[in-house]
Amino acid sequence: PLYIVDGIISTKKIISDLNPENIESINVIKSKNATVLYGSQGKNGVIILTTKEFPKKKLKKLKRVLKKLSKEE
């Protein structure tokens, strides 16, 4: 899958190095929604992690987008 941390494409290694206490939320996008949002990079799904340091304004926007996508599935 494609890994995104605080809006930045990351690697599995970076994810595994994160302190679990610093993770605010984890979202999984699969199927066509992942491909629509991330193109061919998202064809195997997308795992989005938001850390507690992520700005609250951007977090609210991300949650709205994810909520909309979950209704479409």
Side-chain angles (χ1 to χ4, degrees), residues 17-58:
D17 289 344
L18 285 174
N19 180 346
E21 291 183 17
N22 289 336
I23 296 174
E24 179 81 26
S25 65
I26 300 173
N27 293 285
V28 177
I29 301 175
K30 49 189 177 175
S31 69
K32 69 178 183 177
N33 287 330
T35 305
V36 167
L37 289 172
Y38 295 97
S40 62
Q41 288 182 302
K43 69 181 177 186
N44 294 320
V46 181
I47 298 173
I48 301 174
L49 279 91
T50 304
T51 63
K52 292 181 180 176
E53 291 84 26
F54 196 64
K56 297 293 180 189
K57 188 174 183 180
K58 288 185 179 183

